[in-house]
Amino acid sequence: MKNTVSIVALICVITFTSCVQNSTPEAPSNGFLKGSDSQVKMGSSEAVEVFKQLDAAWAKLDYEKMKTFIADKASLSFHDGFIATTPQEFVDKIKDEVARAQAEGNNYEWTTDYAFALALTDDGSKDTTNDLGDWVNAQFTTKPTNPDSEIDSEVFYEYYHIIDGKVTQWNQFKKTIKKK
């Protein structure tokens, strides 16, 4: 009898606990985006991993690998105002940047200071893509290797909109710090 009660109790516990929904809690959100009902929340580690792979290919100047991370139709805004819209235009501009840096007697290299991903909550519109994927925010610092340079360092701030493993939008800003 005691065994029967124990077995019935065990079956009841298993039945009730198997009915409990184990859902992943929604990431807390805060912030805002003007003109939208979306809020800002933490993004995914997968987007940061895509960024890290693109950054590694860029550091090696592996242009073919870099192109695999760029969407066929994209908006890629460089700090000087140039906007690339294809993977090939993106790498062609970078090739120009590399040539310019080397012509000035500098190595084309940087230190990646940080990267993290943010995302937007669903805005309820099928016409917008800001709430799809993640936005990786990254900062880089360069130091000129030419001893005659008047520049101490340059800090780059970049925002990568990554959807399904591809950069669809990218914005780059630069702060130049002169030697004292």
Side-chain angles (χ1 to χ4, degrees), residues 22-28 41:
N22 290 329
S23 62
T24 305
E26 179 72 20
K41 62 182 181 177

Side-chain angles (χ1 to χ4, degrees), residues 67-68 70-73 76 85-92:
K67 289 192 287 188
T68 66
I70 308 298
D72 291 337
K73 292 181 182 179
L76 311 160
T85 58
T86 67
Q88 188 62 52
E89 288 177 356
F90 184 68
V91 298
D92 287 346

Side-chain angles (χ1 to χ4, degrees), residues 46-118:
E46 290 85 4
V48 174
E49 189 58 37
V50 169
F51 159 79
K52 287 167 50 178
Q53 291 174 24
L54 173 57
D55 189 44
W58 198 331
K60 293 176 186 173
L61 301 179
D62 185 345
Y63 299 116
E64 292 306 310
K65 180 80 168 170
M66 289 172 62
K67 289 192 287 188
T68 66
F69 295 105
I70 308 298
D72 291 337
K73 292 181 182 179
S75 178
L76 311 160
S77 301
F78 286 80
H79 67 89
D80 63 1
F82 179 82
I83 300 173
T85 58
T86 67
Q88 188 62 52
E89 288 177 356
F90 184 68
V91 298
D92 287 346
K93 173 64 172 169
I94 292 167
K95 288 177 183 179
D96 291 344
E97 293 285 321
V98 171
R100 181 193 52 76
Q102 292 172 340
E104 293 172 356
N106 293 305
N107 295 332
Y108 188 77
E109 58 191 17
W110 61 89
T111 300
T112 303
D113 302 318
Y114 65 77
F116 60 89
L118 299 174

Side-chain angles (χ1 to χ4, degrees), residues 81-161:
F82 179 82
I83 300 173
T85 58
T86 67
Q88 188 62 52
E89 288 177 356
F90 184 68
V91 298
D92 287 346
K93 173 64 172 169
I94 292 167
K95 288 177 183 179
D96 291 344
E97 293 285 321
V98 171
R100 181 193 52 76
Q102 292 172 340
E104 293 172 356
N106 293 305
N107 295 332
Y108 188 77
E109 58 191 17
W110 61 89
T111 300
T112 303
D113 302 318
Y114 65 77
F116 60 89
L118 299 174
L120 296 175
T121 59
D122 188 354
D123 66 3
S125 173
K126 301 277 186 232
D127 299 328
T128 62
T129 60
N130 284 339
D131 58 344
L132 300 177
D134 296 288
W135 291 85
V136 173
N137 297 264
Q139 177 180 300
F140 309 89
T141 302
T142 65
K143 294 246 182 214
T145 52
N146 179 346
D148 297 328
S149 176
E150 296 178 4
I151 297 172
D152 175 68
S153 60
E154 293 178 315
V155 181
F156 289 84
Y157 305 93
E158 297 180 349
Y159 306 93
Y160 301 71
H161 190 191

